[in-house]
């Protein structure tokens, strides 16, 4: 895997060990615009890596430093997600500029990069998340078109459960408690449910807690979710 060094000045010291990978889309009209912003000291945003649609991998911030990609966020009790994570930006115009599928070349470059990061830092699948998972009130990326299933089959993400599903018949309050246990910030009920659906049931993102959502979440909380693997 060849990596293009594209240094960003936007980083500082970590306060936590690396335990997470956060995936983003750039949400800008071009790769050049995204790189310009991520390396602009005035913008005060960055990521550790950016992957163009043709598979080119840009290294922006060293992994031992704290890049500024997560913003106000929360996952499994961690609120300084920037300190605890590696951030990877995928070039895609996003929902604002014409959201589209992620090309094979881009995902083919992402997989070995993620595998290497995961192995280096001992990151578990449950801590490989999208920006929308950690900031449900603010973000939609990498969005419903992102191929989480492919990553799950390579043990680089949690699978969408598909077997032995059972509706636990939780109340809505019970579902939110379980969702919080799984990792989400549930302060905004609707945003949390939408983020969960965007990740694990992207074909129907309606913010409604139903039997399928309850079944999926119950399975995800089990020691070995049975799904895309």
């Amino acid at each position: 895997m060849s990596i293009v060094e594209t240094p960003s000045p936007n980083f500082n010291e970590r306060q936590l060990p690396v335990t997470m990978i956060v995936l983003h889309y750039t949400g800008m009209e071009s790769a050049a615009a995204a790189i310009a912003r991520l390396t602009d000291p005035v913008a005060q945003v960055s990521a550790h890596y950016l992957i163009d649609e043709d598979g080119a991998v840009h290294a922006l911030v060293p992994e031992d430093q704290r890049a500024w990609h997560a913003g106000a966020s929360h996952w499994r009790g961690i609120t300084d997600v920037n300190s605890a994570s590696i951030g990877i930006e995928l070039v895609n115009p996003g929902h604002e500029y014409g959201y589209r599928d992620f090309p094979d070349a881009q995902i083919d470059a992402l997989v070995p990069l993620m595998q290497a990061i995961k192995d280096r830092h001992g990151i578990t699948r449950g801590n490989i998340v999208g920006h929308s998972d950690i900031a449900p009130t603010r973000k939609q990326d990498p969005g419903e078109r992102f191929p989480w299933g492919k990553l799950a089959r390579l043990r680089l993400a949690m699978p969408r459960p598909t077997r032995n599903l059972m509706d636990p018949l939780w109340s809505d309050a019970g579902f939110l408690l379980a969702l919080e246990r799984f990792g989400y910030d549930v302060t905004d009920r609707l945003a949390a449910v939408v983020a969960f659906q965007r990740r694990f049931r992207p074909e129907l993102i309606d913010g409604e807690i139903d039997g399928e959502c309850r079944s999926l979440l119950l399975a995800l909380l089990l020691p070995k979710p049975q799904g895309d693997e």
Side-chain angles (χ1 to χ4, degrees), residues 171-186:
S171 65
D172 286 0
F175 177 86
L176 292 173
L177 282 173
L179 192 60
E180 185 174 38
R181 178 184 170 194
F182 184 64
Y184 286 87
D185 178 359
V186 299

Side-chain angles (χ1 to χ4, degrees), residues 49-115:
Y49 299 97
L50 175 142
I51 306 179
D52 205 338
E53 291 183 295
D54 63 2
V57 179
H58 295 259
L60 286 76
V61 172
E63 287 185 19
D64 64 348
Q65 298 296 316
R66 179 180 181 272
W68 304 338
H69 59 96
S73 50
H74 170 107
W75 187 252
R76 296 185 171 177
I78 293 175
T79 54
D80 184 2
V81 174
N82 279 332
S83 273
S85 66
I86 301 292
I88 303 175
E89 292 274 358
L90 299 162
V91 172
N92 187 296
H95 292 83
E96 187 174 356
Y97 295 108
Y99 188 43
R100 56 182 178 244
D101 289 342
F102 296 81
D104 290 343
Q106 190 176 43
I107 302 304
D108 289 345
L110 173 66
V111 165
L113 177 64
M114 284 184 65
Q115 186 65 67

Side-chain angles (χ1 to χ4, degrees), residues 152 158-163 199-203 212 216 220 226-228:
M158 291 291 284
R160 173 179 177 162
T162 57
R163 299 194 294 278
R199 172 72 183 272
F200 293 105
R201 193 187 68 182
E203 71 277 7
E212 185 176 31
L216 290 169
L220 286 164
Q226 299 184 39
D228 290 329

Side-chain angles (χ1 to χ4, degrees), residues 9-214:
N10 301 332
F11 62 87
N12 57 2
E13 295 293 322
R14 289 190 182 278
Q15 303 301 314
L16 296 169
V18 174
T19 56
M20 301 172 58
I21 296 172
V22 181
L23 300 178
H24 307 255
Y25 64 43
T26 53
M28 300 187 73
E29 293 179 278
S30 68
I35 290 172
R37 179 169 173 77
L38 291 166
T39 57
D40 180 358
V42 176
Q44 296 191 339
V45 293
S46 61
H48 294 91
Y49 299 97
L50 175 142
I51 306 179
D52 205 338
E53 291 183 295
D54 63 2
V57 179
H58 295 259
L60 286 76
V61 172
E63 287 185 19
D64 64 348
Q65 298 296 316
R66 179 180 181 272
W68 304 338
H69 59 96
S73 50
H74 170 107
W75 187 252
R76 296 185 171 177
I78 293 175
T79 54
D80 184 2
V81 174
N82 279 332
S83 273
S85 66
I86 301 292
I88 303 175
E89 292 274 358
L90 299 162
V91 172
N92 187 296
H95 292 83
E96 187 174 356
Y97 295 108
Y99 188 43
R100 56 182 178 244
D101 289 342
F102 296 81
D104 290 343
Q106 190 176 43
I107 302 304
D108 289 345
L110 173 66
V111 165
L113 177 64
M114 284 184 65
Q115 186 65 67
I117 294 168
K118 180 176 182 285
D119 292 346
R120 260 196 301 277
H121 300 282
I123 297 170
T124 63
R125 293 186 300 162
N127 278 344
I128 296 175
V129 294
H131 202 182
S132 60
D133 295 315
I134 63 170
T137 62
R138 301 187 300 110
K139 297 296 180 178
Q140 302 179 72
D141 58 312
E144 59 277 5
R145 291 179 180 268
F146 184 73
W148 285 110
K150 180 172 183 177
L151 296 188
R153 287 188 288 274
L154 297 169
R155 300 192 65 79
L156 292 174
M158 291 291 284
R160 173 179 177 162
T162 57
R163 299 194 294 278
N164 303 323
L165 296 179
M166 179 183 68
D167 185 353
L169 300 175
W170 292 320
S171 65
D172 286 0
F175 177 86
L176 292 173
L177 282 173
L179 192 60
E180 185 174 38
R181 178 184 170 194
F182 184 64
Y184 286 87
D185 178 359
V186 299
T187 305
D188 185 316
R189 172 195 180 280
L190 177 61
V193 174
V194 165
F196 175 77
Q197 291 173 338
R198 178 168 281 116
R199 172 72 183 272
F200 293 105
R201 193 187 68 182
E203 71 277 7
L204 179 58
I205 304 171
D206 60 4
E208 296 295 325
I209 299 170
D210 57 23
E212 185 176 31
C213 289
R214 292 190 295 266

